[in-house]
Amino acid sequence: MAGADGFWARVARFRRTYQPSQGLFWIERVNFPAGALIALLLLPTRVSPNAVTLSGLAAYLVGAVVVAFANEPISIWVVIGVALTWQLAFSLDCADGSLARARGTASPFGAWFDQLIDSIARTAVYTAIIAFLVRALELPALASVVLSSLSVALALLQTFSSWQRAAVIGGPSPVDAAGGRGRALLSASRHLEDYGAFLFLAAVLLLVPTGLLAFMVGVAVVHALFVAAQLALAWRRHARERRRAA
């Protein structure tokens, strides 16, 4: 028992040291702890962080292929398998960066490679879900194209806008820069961007295609609103800095 307690204490220390907190409910309680465990177990091995990144992509693709070709009504065992596979995939995605930081091998290439693979994985997940919905609900061609295009585009736009804002503009995030009620509202809304929770709910809602369709539309709306909020707050901050400079 003492040995087990000591091991989990090491996992907790590893997580605090090498995983920056995101403050998102599901990620903080499921994917980050699992990612820290994976990274700590791999630390003494020769497995590279980039190999972990590719392993996560492989897990995403396995789940995506299963969803894309699943028959309706979908089996509860298929749903459980997809949910576990996608949670493993995202936990591996949380492990690669912390493994690199723990080894002192983090690099700009590794960060770029991780973001590239993330974009590929998200595209695969969203495409598989839309393919399942099109078949399950027999959606017309125009609705299928619009739903697919907006879902994938807005998901990638949201992640792209966050990454590029941090890389190009720098400084505090728009959420941190906002004050008063605006900051409280944006901080609360960030939980809607919890990708670990998205993967879990999307897998469960495969059992209820109409509910999954409503969920995907809602997620697309949240992505659009979050990008708009980022843009508005960053624009206001930029204008304020220019006035001060003048």
Side-chain angles (χ1 to χ4, degrees), residues 32-101:
F32 268 6
L37 173 61
I38 293 169
L40 186 59
L41 291 175
L42 293 177
L43 189 58
T45 73
R46 300 182 65 179
V47 176
S48 70
N50 289 339
V52 177
T53 302
L54 291 174
S55 298
L57 175 61
Y60 275 123
L61 293 178
V62 168
V65 169
V66 170
V67 170
F69 293 99
N71 294 319
E72 172 63 24
I74 194 167
S75 165
I76 183 64
W77 297 110
V78 172
V79 169
I80 292 173
V82 170
L84 292 176
T85 300
W86 279 348
Q87 290 301 311
L88 172 62
F90 190 41
S91 298
L92 287 166
D93 187 28
C94 295
D96 53 8
S98 54
L99 178 62
R101 287 186 288 272

Side-chain angles (χ1 to χ4, degrees), residues 165-186:
R165 188 215 60 77
V168 177
I169 299 177
S173 71
V175 173
D176 295 331
R181 294 180 180 177
R183 179 173 183 176
L185 180 61
L186 281 175

Side-chain angles (χ1 to χ4, degrees), residues 167-199:
V168 177
I169 299 177
S173 71
V175 173
D176 295 331
R181 294 180 180 177
R183 179 173 183 176
L185 180 61
L186 281 175
S187 295
S189 69
R190 288 181 70 247
H191 291 284
L192 299 174
E193 296 291 313
D194 191 326
Y195 193 55
F198 165 82
L199 291 170

Side-chain angles (χ1 to χ4, degrees), residues 26 67 74 78-80 82-83 86-87 125-126 128-130 132-133 194-209 211-213 215-216 219:
W26 189 275
V67 170
I74 194 167
V78 172
V79 169
I80 292 173
V82 170
W86 279 348
Q87 290 301 311
V125 167
Y126 276 76
I129 292 171
I130 300 304
F132 171 79
L133 287 174
D194 191 326
Y195 193 55
F198 165 82
L199 291 170
F200 176 75
L201 290 173
V204 171
L205 287 172
L206 291 169
L207 294 167
V208 190
L212 180 57
L213 175 61
F215 176 67
M216 294 302 292
V219 168

